[in-house]
Amino acid sequence: MDRLVKPDLEELKLCFIRGQKSCATFKLTNLMHTMSVAISVSTTKSSVFSLSHPFCIIPPLSTASFTLFLTNSCDPPPLSTPLDTVMVKSSMLPTGKASQDDLRRLFSRTGPHIFKDAKIPISLVGPQVVEFLLSSKTLSDVSLLLPKAISSCGSCQLNSLLSFAAKNGNSHCISTLIEVGADVNRRDSDGDSVMSLAVKSGNLDSVQVLIESGYTIDNSADRFLHYASAMDRMDLMEILCLGYADIDLNSIDSQGRTPLHIATGHGHVEVIQFLVSVGSNPDMLDSQGWTPLHFAAHQGHVEAVGFLLNHSTIAKYTVTKQGKTAYELATNKGHCKLYDLLQLGDTLHRAARKGDVADIKKCIAEGANVNGKDQNGWTPLHRAAFKGKNEGVKVLVNHGAKLDLVDDCGYTPLHLAIEAGQKDVAMYLIAQGAKAILKSFEAKGQVPCDLKNFKNSHQHTATLYDIKR
């Protein structure tokens, strides 16, 4: 015979409740038909766990109950690996009678008369244990303790723990909780989903687990792209867009703002570029009439403003409900680096086209970029040269206009002046050092035909030929 008594369970689950002296009960049955058995029960950590009666006598074929207590109310739960155990020892007791002191002396001696009947593992279980495991940064073997802690949780507790796991970005626990019955599509009283918590945590694995576990997106309620935009997390956006082909890129929050509004307000340029590339509308208005460009201008995000100007249609000229353009918002905040992009550049181009010397000087004084290009690559000097505004050309050159910048077709201001027949402007530009022919034109055989005609007909033909050579 290898043991005298048998426990009624293989594992002792003690439901931990913070601030309380938690307890659990187990039973031992005497297997002897005619003889009483003396029992000793103890734990591997007597400072943590205590027992209702560590010594007792069990009559033949009878059963005795024992209660295990946490010695003190504690927080956090006293978890450890390997698991603590209840050790059960026994000895035959022919007389069937003994005092507590007699029993203590009996089990204090080693020998063949002592049977080691069982080691019962102690598992701390319950939602508070799970929460502690999820938030612990130092405890090892969480993967061993977690399934045991979860095993005693009901459906409501599982759902609550799933939210907790998502908030903490614990993908392993999320997967485990869903496997044992947690509802992946449950929303709390505020309408927030488990996925929203996972996205806010920024944990890619958690988001991927929820997608693969069947989370169903609700475009009327879910604002995942808004959260990712605020966090500058293009990687999250990519996972969400791949996982949900029907995700609404232009969904709006309570203030009518799209994810693009959020990204531009923070100046997250890579996110802005991604959103526009997959279909976000850069001209959408929020509830106050602000476009994404208004947000970027208001915050002074130069690179974001530049990108939006190249991809929006009306945003530059849109007026908010307060009557403000993006330029006015930038000036109100003193973001002088945006003045040229948002308005002064346009004003300078118009002044150059008209040859309005006073306006040209005013724009440059206020910060306009004298070499700023429009959508066709024309600088103010291109415009003034093409229109033959000689005085305007002189002012621009005197203020740093570059003579040989090319437009999107490879034309310099001199080329445009010649093709437009603006001889005085052409000769002035040549006199200032403008090159009559650029290598790019020579390589492509695209020398404007009017340049040759102009050279042959003008009194400074020799000079032009010298420059060409």
Side-chain angles (χ1 to χ4, degrees):
M1 177 177 289
D2 58 353
R3 63 179 179 177
L4 304 180
V5 296
K6 179 181 179 180
D8 65 336
L9 42 74
E10 295 182 354
E11 183 179 19
L12 190 58
K13 295 182 178 181
L14 193 155
C15 186
F16 174 82
I17 301 175
R18 192 174 294 112
Q20 296 185 19
K21 291 185 178 181
S22 305
C23 63
T25 300
F26 63 99
K27 295 179 180 180
L28 296 175
T29 299
N30 183 356
L31 300 176
M32 303 294 289
H33 288 70
T34 60
M35 189 177 296
S36 295
V37 173
I39 301 295
S40 167
V41 288
S42 61
T43 64
T44 48
K45 287 184 181 177
S46 58
S47 61
V48 176
F49 301 103
S50 61
L51 290 151
S52 54
H53 43 287
F55 302 102
C56 75
I57 299 171
I58 305 178
L61 298 178
S62 296
T63 298
S65 294
F66 300 81
T67 302
L68 176 76
F69 298 92
L70 275 176
T71 303
N72 299 299
S73 58
C74 53
D75 184 20
L79 297 168
S80 65
T81 52
L83 296 175
D84 295 316
T85 58
V86 172
M87 296 172 290
V88 180
K89 297 179 181 180
S90 63
S91 181
M92 294 182 186
L93 194 64
T95 63
K97 295 180 181 181
S99 67
Q100 289 292 305
D101 288 338
D102 292 337
L103 294 175
R104 190 174 291 106
R105 283 191 293 270
L106 173 66
F107 287 104
S108 66
R109 302 191 305 271
T110 59
H113 66 289
I114 302 296
F115 289 78
K116 296 179 180 179
D117 291 274
K119 282 187 176 181
I120 308 173
I122 303 170
S123 293
L124 295 176
V125 301
Q128 293 184 7
V129 177
V130 178
E131 289 180 4
F132 174 75
L133 290 170
L134 294 181
S135 58
S136 175
K137 303 297 183 183
T138 58
L139 192 65
S140 60
D141 294 328
V142 171
S143 59
L144 170 65
L145 299 172
L146 187 60
K148 296 180 181 295
I150 290 174
S151 63
S152 66
C153 298
S155 58
C156 290
Q157 292 173 327
L158 290 175
N159 290 333
S160 178
L161 289 169
L162 181 60
S163 295
F164 190 86
K167 185 176 180 180
N168 283 271
N170 191 312
S171 59
H172 171 71
C173 188
I174 289 172
S175 181
T176 302
L177 287 163
I178 292 172
E179 287 176 3
V180 297
D183 184 0
V184 70
N185 284 301
R186 174 183 170 273
R187 293 178 182 270
D188 63 22
S189 57
D190 295 324
D192 288 332
S193 64
V194 174
M195 179 67 89
S196 68
L197 296 172
V199 173
K200 288 177 181 178
S201 79
N203 186 279
L204 292 173
D205 291 338
S206 296
V207 173
Q208 190 65 47
V209 166
L210 291 173
I211 292 173
E212 294 172 355
S213 297
Y215 178 82
T216 304
I217 193 170
D218 181 354
N219 283 313
S220 66
D222 292 325
R223 298 291 173 262
F224 308 146
L225 294 181
H226 289 75
Y227 306 145
S229 292
M231 295 187 295
D232 196 17
R233 292 293 301 274
M234 193 172 69
D235 52 351
L236 279 174
M237 291 185 169
E238 289 174 341
I239 284 182
L240 290 165
C241 290
L242 288 172
Y244 300 105
D246 59 339
I247 194 168
D248 186 359
L249 298 166
N250 295 304
S251 64
I252 58 174
D253 61 15
S254 59
Q255 296 174 298
R257 297 172 183 173
T258 65
L260 188 57
H261 282 94
I262 304 300
T264 53
H266 287 86
H268 296 154
V269 177
E270 289 188 359
V271 170
I272 295 168
Q273 293 170 342
F274 173 79
L275 286 170
V276 172
S277 71
V278 295
S280 293
N281 183 0
D283 288 316
M284 276 193 71
L285 309 179
D286 72 358
S287 58
Q288 295 301 311
W290 287 44
T291 65
L293 180 63
H294 284 95
F295 280 91
H298 185 254
Q299 296 298 328
H301 300 308
V302 177
E303 191 175 352
V305 167
F307 178 83
L308 291 168
L309 286 173
N310 290 328
H311 292 82
S312 62
T313 305
I314 62 170
K316 188 172 183 178
Y317 311 103
T318 300
V319 177
T320 69
K321 288 186 177 181
Q322 293 76 35
K324 301 290 186 180
T325 62
Y327 172 76
E328 289 169 321
L329 291 173
T331 56
N332 288 344
K333 287 288 187 175
H335 300 311
C336 56
K337 291 183 179 180
L338 296 177
Y339 296 174
D340 180 69
L341 284 171
L342 292 171
Q343 180 168 309
L344 289 178
D346 289 348
T347 304
L348 179 57
H349 275 263
R350 287 194 297 270
R353 186 178 68 247
K354 295 176 182 179
D356 190 329
V357 171
D359 273 0
I360 291 173
K361 291 181 177 180
K362 180 182 178 182
C363 289
I364 294 173
E366 291 178 353
N369 181 4
V370 73
N371 292 303
K373 293 186 175 184
D374 66 8
Q375 67 273 18
N376 299 311
W378 281 27
T379 66
L381 188 58
H382 280 88
R383 290 190 175 277
F386 183 75
K387 288 294 185 178
K389 305 299 182 181
N390 203 29
E391 293 304 312
V393 168
K394 292 178 180 179
V395 171
L396 289 167
V397 172
N398 289 336
H399 284 83
K402 295 181 180 179
L403 299 174
D404 296 317
L405 287 179
V406 296
D407 66 10
D408 292 349
C409 295
Y411 284 74
T412 66
L414 176 58
H415 288 126
L416 296 181
I418 291 172
E419 291 222 345
Q422 309 295 353
K423 299 179 181 180
D424 292 339
V425 171
M427 295 313 302
Y428 172 78
L429 292 172
I430 291 169
Q432 296 299 312
K435 297 176 182 178
I437 295 179
L438 295 183
K439 292 181 180 179
S440 61
F441 280 93
E442 291 178 331
K444 297 179 181 179
Q446 293 178 333
V447 179
C449 59
D450 285 350
L451 178 60
K452 295 178 181 179
N453 296 334
F454 179 66
K455 289 187 295 184
N456 292 330
S457 63
H458 198 272
Q459 60 180 343
H460 294 290
T461 297
T463 304
L464 285 167
Y465 276 116
D466 289 339
I467 294 172
K468 179 180 178 181
R469 289 195 297 272

